[in-house]
Amino acid sequence: MKEPRDVDDRDYVQSLERGLAVIQAFADHGPELSLTETAQATGLSRPTARRLLLTLTSLGYVRVSGRKYSLTPRVLSIGYAYANSLDLTALAQPVMERVVSEAREACTLAALDGEDIVYLNRVSTRRLAHLTLAVGTRLPAYASAMGQVLLADLSPTDLDRYVSATELSPLTPRTIRTEQALRERLDDVRRRGYAQADQELEEGIRAVAVPVRGTDGRVFAALGISSTAVELDELCSRHLELLLDSAHELSVHLGSEYSAS
């Protein structure tokens, strides 16, 4: 489990932390876990893990079959609560649909969660509809254009924390593998105002992403398009301006007053 940060011990509810750690364990270690596996994944004792699993089962967030536990669709309500609090899907959907209509490429909105990006919304093209990339999909931030946009806006302290906690595993021959290379890439993203990734996450997938800003001007999410059909330079030359304009529109909807220039 992650160490709590910037919270007075008197105000910190450890049982909530532990319950959320159990839910996160299914995302990190597999869709079905035994009691022992849950305890090992979370670092909790078996009795504590058991009580938490039984509580989550009673609340409808977990189901049990034999000796295995798994999440139920009710867990999605937690993520939906976040999105609905900003009416984010309703705001993003028409903007993203227009991007897909004009670019003929898949469009995704993602936010940073720990070491990963999490898909908040996605609009696919017909030819990519078979890919199992949906709301809630988690991908390593360092290897994706959207993740690099989000990492580039972290404070120096938060970026140092991310780098120290993240193993830069080579997902493809083109994946960034060293801290120096990652920091240089993020410097480039800050200078350009967008990120591009050429088969760094998966062979054949090229992507470009731009920042979406919130009311405080900080990067709130990343908007990106990906393609298997064109080279990276062509993807950028064709669609970067459309993506920047769309991200600016969405940022304004979210209350940002930043300038796209």
Side-chain angles (χ1 to χ4, degrees), residues 114-186:
E115 298 174 25
D116 300 328
I117 61 168
V118 179
Y119 282 13
L120 303 179
N121 198 20
R122 180 172 171 85
V123 179
S124 297
T125 59
R126 288 183 178 273
R127 60 188 171 81
L128 292 179
H130 66 284
L131 295 180
T132 57
L133 297 173
V135 173
T137 293
R138 303 178 69 91
L139 298 172
Y142 69 90
S144 67
M146 289 185 293
Q148 291 165 15
V149 163
L150 294 161
L151 292 175
D153 193 62
L154 291 180
S155 68
T157 299
D158 285 340
L159 181 57
D160 288 344
R161 185 180 292 116
Y162 172 86
V163 170
S164 65
T166 304
E167 180 181 355
L168 303 180
S169 301
L171 305 177
T172 77
R174 296 172 181 258
T175 304
I176 290 175
R177 303 186 187 193
T178 67
E179 177 182 342
Q180 180 180 348
L182 177 60
R183 291 184 181 275
E184 289 175 354
R185 172 66 63 82
L186 298 182

